[in-house]
Amino acid sequence: MISKTAQGKINQGSAVRLMFEEGKILRKKLGADKVYDFSLGNPDQEPPEAIKESLLSLARSEEKGLHAYMSNQGYPDLREKIAHFESVRNIVPMDASCVTMTCGAAAGLNIVLHSLLDPGDEVLVLIPYFTEYPRYIEEAGGKAVLVRCDADFRPDLEDLKAKITPKTKALILNSPNNPSGVVYEAELLEKINAVLLAQEQTIYPISDEVYRDLIYDGRAYPPLLSHMKNALIIYSWSKSYALPGERIGYVCYSSNIEDSANLSLALAYYNRVLGFVNAPAVWQHVLEDNIGLAVDPTPYKKRRDRIVDIFQSLGLTAHPSEGTFYILLRRPDRLSTDQFVDLCKKHGVLFVSAKGFGLEDYVRVSYAVPDRTIEGMAEAMVQVMAEIAETVF
Amino acid sequence: MISKTAQGKINQGSAVRLMFEEGKILRKKLGADKVYDFSLGNPDQEPPEAIKESLLSLARSEEKGLHAYMSNQGYPDLREKIAHFESVRNIVPMDASCVTMTCGAAAGLNIVLHSLLDPGDEVLVLIPYFTEYPRYIEEAGGKAVLVRCDADFRPDLEDLKAKITPKTKALILNSPNNPSGVVYEAELLEKINAVLLAQEQTIYPISDEVYRDLIYDGRAYPPLLSHMKNALIIYSWSKSYALPGERIGYVCYSSNIEDSANLSLALAYYNRVLGFVNAPAVWQHVLEDNIGLAVDPTPYKKRRDRIVDIFQSLGLTAHPSEGTFYILLRRPDRLSTDQFVDLCKKHGVLFVSAKGFGLEDYVRVSYAVPDRTIEGMAEAMVQVMAEIAETVF
């Protein structure tokens, strides 16, 4: 028998991953062209040409040892370049020791949480939040403490203050936000920072910035490390460079972060001992020449606009996203979120309930999908709305 | 401040990794050609040509979605092929559901231990053992219970029996063994199996087989799954295909393993929630056409022979390895293992104390190094032995 612990957990599943797997089954049943899958944040764009060229050049290289072990933190030259890039971007000092290469952002979050948390320590998580955060915190021995949001999906600062205890060790923030697409302004970051600094203990902000290159309408992401003391950035190229299956990203922070030297040692330790060992060598080589490529979020913005139009024309309420490729859609008043999700699925439309993201009355719509999927969904949703109108719930 | 837990751990370090890092510093001090580094199991061979060609062909491919997310267990086609390969090799039934792709063997061990262990469960570890096993077990909430070995570095079966308690949930075995290079015979596997099956509870054997393709002298590795009930194989291409920096491997087991369906779910869950998400896509694609390539261990065997000669001519005792690229060297009688390690280091020779592998009186010599490093070591060791002869310890 597997452990009782594991038995209890595997049935929780991830709503996103379950829907992703269900989608595969549904495609076989209804036909692939009759399923409109908005479940997973799986970019349908291809990686930038520069990435493909670097991979090709690496594959052609006769250099020895390209696939060998390196230090658990990653190649020093790459980390040096990233430190320079993030230092300029964030207007803080940073050297290579402040950068640890990771197997994507999920690995980054896991090694950071393991480095910071003692058993029972609390981590503030701002609603709405990526559904896996509480699980990562739990695996690191900590306890997730949820902080309410206002109607604009920005954190309620009074609730934030009220949720802090002597056991609070960190705060996870994710902007641009999955699932809301909201981008936190510099003023908001400053306000959160002020709340954290007013406490007796150090509370580390952990900033999951995997969507920061996907912001629309000419807005820029604020230099977080210059607005928040003791913050760590979690970055991954999964979303910006469309490489989610490859698991490559990093953790970085200012040289001025509290306990900097021990933090670097702890991150290397947990990279090793949790079994990551190091980020894949091939992607470390490829990324070395491709840090900070310009990413064009226009394809996603166009889809956001189209999707907002579709939902409006159906009489549904969606909260326009400012970045990412997610949008929150409110359930129609006459049925529950679960009923709405099931009805959409019946018509081949896969939306994920936002309950797992901390919101009762919403579904998350991931529009990292081709235009034909969006147009197919538009047609199918007309039938969904007709069925809602005709049905007693 | 990082957590107290992390503070306590980072100072433990890994003797192997510390020596690897020290080697880099020593090269700057003494000059790269004056340092003979036998610390890390980092193959100096290059990946097989077929792997390089598949990588090149992948890099050239115009196919879409090659770097996207897939199921947490990995690509079904690849898993199907591995199931067929391992089924034939092990003479047991196996389908794709019994294969989970992992970010190398370290990841495989971590997700297996998390799937099997409840807090306080015990895992038998056979001395000598890979130095990270106890840490992996600890991170999964379990307790490592060490089992003594005989003079040939094979497990003492009486001690094995004595160490089993009602809390024993698994046994980790590693053959060919790191650090001894010993290969467990089928008879020995059967004997261990009999001890485990005589217990009331199920004890899962976890077989770390990353060196099974590196066996010398015409010997073959026994089909473990047909000799041990409820066993899981941990495999990685790191050592056999010289890809340790890339993190690609798998976990597999017979369809007849106890609680098979839940085990697959649990492995997928922990792949996701510990932050691996999935094994790197590029290597899953490359390996799909390259499962079970013939690996020639001759280069390593030649070095083993040369190293045994060198140590013999110096009057030192080494236990000839039957596989892997490690050999155990006994410390000279007149000084402690630590003194011997330090003295060798002074002369530019990096051996790792085998204390972290459970053996007090040995050093591990990793001969995954060029011949010139071996010859340089031979010369340096003459000076080491001369200094030992002249010194009062």
Side-chain angles (χ1 to χ4, degrees):
Chain A
M1 295 276 285
I2 63 166
S3 72
K4 290 188 186 69
T5 314
Q7 270 165 24
K9 288 177 179 178
I10 57 176
N11 296 323
Q12 296 172 11
S14 149
V16 177
R17 285 284 174 171
L18 285 176
M19 194 63 99
F20 179 58
E21 299 297 335
E22 268 191 76
K24 291 186 197 168
I25 296 162
L26 212 59
R27 274 180 204 99
K28 282 184 191 160
K29 196 174 142 195
L30 301 182
D33 59 331
K34 294 277 181 284
V35 175
Y36 315 105
D37 186 350
F38 296 81
S39 63
L40 196 61
N42 203 0
D44 72 312
Q45 308 293 300
E46 288 298 304
E49 277 306 312
I51 294 292
K52 292 187 181 178
E53 280 162 27
S54 289
L55 181 62
L56 189 56
S57 140
L58 184 86
R60 283 193 180 125
S61 170
E62 296 290 324
E63 199 183 323
K64 303 283 183 199
L66 288 172
H67 310 287
Y69 281 132
M70 82 295 303
S71 294
N72 298 119
Q73 275 198 286
Y75 291 115
D77 291 355
L78 170 62
R79 289 161 49 216
E80 185 72 51
K81 285 187 183 180
I82 290 171
H84 177 72
F85 172 74
E86 291 281 1
S87 168
V88 170
R89 184 186 167 104
N90 281 284
I91 328 170
V92 293
M94 191 185 299
D95 61 35
S97 77
C98 302
V99 178
T100 299
M101 303 308 300
T102 65
C103 298
L109 281 160
N110 269 278
I111 64 171
V112 165
L113 290 166
H114 275 80
S115 297
L116 295 180
L117 301 186
D118 277 310
D121 277 353
E122 294 171 2
V123 180
L124 300 162
V125 175
L126 310 179
I127 293 174
Y129 54 84
F130 176 48
T131 179
E132 302 285 48
Y133 292 158
R135 296 192 176 97
Y136 298 161
I137 294 165
E138 183 187 14
E139 290 303 327
K143 190 184 154 204
V145 175
L146 304 180
V147 175
R148 281 201 300 271
C149 61
D150 63 21
D152 279 343
F153 303 113
R154 283 168 173 77
D156 176 334
L157 295 178
E158 289 310 310
D159 195 50
L160 173 65
K161 282 180 208 164
K163 294 286 171 64
I164 295 174
T165 78
K167 285 196 156 291
T168 308
K169 191 64 191 276
L171 173 146
I172 301 184
L173 65 94
N174 174 219
S175 165
N177 182 268
N178 172 8
S180 72
V182 162
V183 180
Y184 293 179
E185 305 79 3
E187 293 81 351
L188 177 56
L189 298 178
E190 291 280 355
K191 282 178 189 167
I192 299 172
N193 185 52
V195 171
L196 301 186
L197 289 185
Q199 311 305 316
E200 281 194 18
Q201 79 262 37
T202 300
I203 301 177
Y204 288 90
I206 303 170
S207 173
D208 177 350
E209 304 193 355
V210 300
Y211 299 102
R212 73 179 185 196
D213 298 312
L214 302 178
I215 300 184
Y216 319 143
D217 309 320
R219 295 182 56 178
Y221 189 63
L224 187 127
L225 295 184
S226 69
H227 290 294
M228 304 195 81
K229 203 176 170 190
N230 290 319
L232 297 94
I233 289 176
I234 310 287
Y235 187 74
S236 148
W237 286 281
S238 288
K239 312 295 178 169
S240 52
Y241 290 5
L243 293 169
E246 303 296 1
R247 317 314 304 143
I248 181 70
Y250 57 85
V251 176
C252 73
Y253 38 83
S254 155
S255 308
N256 295 327
I257 198 169
E258 186 185 291
D259 212 13
S260 170
N262 277 332
L263 185 56
S264 301
L265 287 174
L267 293 173
Y269 178 86
Y270 283 109
N271 232 1
R272 212 185 87 210
V273 168
L274 295 181
F276 301 106
V277 184
N278 55 250
V282 61
W283 293 111
Q284 290 196 52
H285 293 302
V286 166
L287 269 310
E288 186 171 344
D289 298 324
N290 294 292
I291 298 161
L293 294 180
V295 175
D296 178 14
T298 312
Y300 293 126
K301 176 191 152 30
K302 283 186 182 160
R303 291 170 186 171
R304 190 244 358 228
D305 292 344
R306 176 68 186 127
I307 279 185
V308 168
D309 278 352
I310 291 169
F311 291 148
Q312 267 183 347
S313 71
L314 291 164
L316 291 166
T317 307
H319 188 275
S321 44
E322 300 157 341
T324 73
F325 36 65
Y326 306 109
I327 192 163
L328 286 170
L329 173 65
R330 203 177 191 290
R331 65 169 173 83
D333 287 339
R334 295 191 44 240
L335 66 177
S336 73
T337 303
D338 286 347
Q339 285 173 323
F340 183 55
V341 166
D342 284 347
L343 190 60
C344 291
K345 191 159 64 186
K346 186 178 143 193
H347 292 272
V349 177
L350 304 186
F351 296 151
V352 176
S353 164
K355 281 185 189 176
F357 300 84
L359 295 171
E360 283 295 321
D361 299 323
Y362 291 83
V363 297
R364 187 190 75 166
V365 180
S366 170
Y367 48 89
V369 297
D371 293 338
R372 65 175 182 281
T373 305
I374 295 176
E375 297 312 319
M377 178 271 285
E379 285 175 38
M381 287 304 288
V382 173
Q383 296 166 35
V384 169
M385 297 310 287
E387 189 165 338
I388 290 175
E390 288 160 10
T391 311
V392 180
F393 288 95
Chain B
M1 294 276 286
I2 63 166
S3 72
K4 291 188 186 68
T5 315
Q7 270 165 24
K9 288 175 177 177
I10 56 176
N11 296 323
Q12 295 173 9
S14 148
V16 178
R17 285 284 173 170
L18 286 177
M19 194 64 99
F20 179 57
E21 298 297 334
E22 267 190 78
K24 291 187 197 168
I25 296 163
L26 212 58
R27 275 180 203 98
K28 282 184 192 160
K29 196 173 142 193
L30 302 181
D33 60 330
K34 294 276 182 285
V35 175
Y36 316 106
D37 186 349
F38 296 81
S39 63
L40 196 61
N42 204 2
D44 71 312
Q45 307 293 299
E46 287 299 303
E49 276 306 312
I51 294 292
K52 291 187 182 179
E53 280 161 28
S54 289
L55 181 62
L56 188 56
S57 142
L58 183 86
R60 283 192 180 126
S61 171
E62 296 290 323
E63 200 183 323
K64 305 282 182 198
L66 289 171
H67 310 287
Y69 280 131
M70 82 296 302
S71 294
N72 299 120
Q73 274 198 287
Y75 291 115
D77 291 355
L78 170 62
R79 288 161 50 215
E80 185 71 52
K81 286 188 184 179
I82 290 170
H84 177 73
F85 172 75
E86 291 281 0
S87 167
V88 170
R89 183 186 168 106
N90 281 283
I91 326 167
V92 294
M94 191 185 298
D95 61 35
S97 77
C98 302
V99 179
T100 299
M101 303 307 301
T102 64
C103 298
L109 282 159
N110 269 278
I111 65 172
V112 165
L113 291 167
H114 274 81
S115 297
L116 294 180
L117 301 186
D118 277 310
D121 276 354
E122 294 170 2
V123 180
L124 300 162
V125 176
L126 310 179
I127 294 174
Y129 54 85
F130 176 48
T131 178
E132 302 285 48
Y133 292 159
R135 296 192 176 98
Y136 298 161
I137 293 165
E138 183 187 13
E139 290 303 328
K143 190 184 154 201
V145 175
L146 305 180
V147 175
R148 282 200 300 270
C149 61
D150 64 20
D152 279 342
F153 305 112
R154 282 168 173 77
D156 175 335
L157 295 178
E158 288 310 310
D159 194 49
L160 173 65
K161 282 179 207 166
K163 293 287 170 64
I164 294 174
T165 79
K167 286 197 156 290
T168 308
K169 191 64 191 276
L171 172 147
I172 302 183
L173 65 94
N174 173 220
S175 164
N177 182 267
N178 172 8
S180 72
V182 162
V183 180
Y184 294 178
E185 305 79 4
E187 294 80 352
L188 177 56
L189 298 177
E190 291 280 355
K191 283 178 188 167
I192 298 173
N193 184 52
V195 172
L196 301 185
L197 289 184
Q199 311 306 315
E200 283 195 17
Q201 80 262 38
T202 300
I203 301 177
Y204 289 90
I206 303 170
S207 173
D208 177 351
E209 304 193 355
V210 300
Y211 299 103
R212 73 181 184 195
D213 298 312
L214 302 177
I215 300 183
Y216 319 143
D217 308 320
R219 296 181 56 178
Y221 188 65
L224 186 126
L225 295 184
S226 71
H227 290 294
M228 303 194 83
K229 204 176 170 189
N230 291 317
L232 297 94
I233 288 176
I234 310 286
Y235 187 74
S236 149
W237 287 280
S238 287
K239 312 294 180 173
S240 51
Y241 290 4
L243 293 169
E246 302 296 0
R247 317 315 303 143
I248 181 71
Y250 57 84
V251 176
C252 73
Y253 39 83
S254 156
S255 310
N256 295 327
I257 197 168
E258 186 184 291
D259 212 12
S260 169
N262 278 331
L263 185 56
S264 300
L265 288 175
L267 293 174
Y269 177 85
Y270 283 109
N271 233 359
R272 213 186 84 211
V273 168
L274 295 181
F276 301 107
V277 184
N278 55 249
V282 60
W283 293 110
Q284 290 196 52
H285 294 301
V286 166
L287 269 309
E288 186 170 345
D289 298 324
N290 294 292
I291 299 162
L293 295 180
V295 174
D296 179 14
T298 312
Y300 293 125
K301 176 189 151 35
K302 283 185 181 159
R303 291 170 187 172
R304 192 252 343 238
D305 293 344
R306 175 68 186 127
I307 280 185
V308 168
D309 279 352
I310 291 169
F311 291 148
Q312 268 183 345
S313 72
L314 292 165
L316 291 166
T317 308
H319 187 275
S321 44
E322 300 157 341
T324 74
F325 36 65
Y326 306 109
I327 192 163
L328 286 170
L329 173 65
R330 204 178 191 290
R331 66 170 173 82
D333 287 338
R334 294 192 45 242
L335 66 177
S336 73
T337 304
D338 287 346
Q339 285 173 323
F340 182 54
V341 166
D342 285 344
L343 189 61
C344 291
K345 190 159 64 185
K346 184 178 145 192
H347 291 272
V349 177
L350 305 186
F351 296 152
V352 176
S353 163
K355 282 185 186 175
F357 299 82
L359 295 171
E360 284 294 320
D361 298 324
Y362 291 83
V363 298
R364 186 189 77 166
V365 180
S366 170
Y367 50 87
V369 296
D371 293 339
R372 65 175 182 282
T373 305
I374 295 176
E375 298 311 319
M377 177 272 285
E379 285 176 37
M381 286 303 289
V382 173
Q383 295 165 34
V384 169
M385 297 310 287
E387 189 165 338
I388 291 175
E390 290 160 10
T391 310
V392 180
F393 288 95

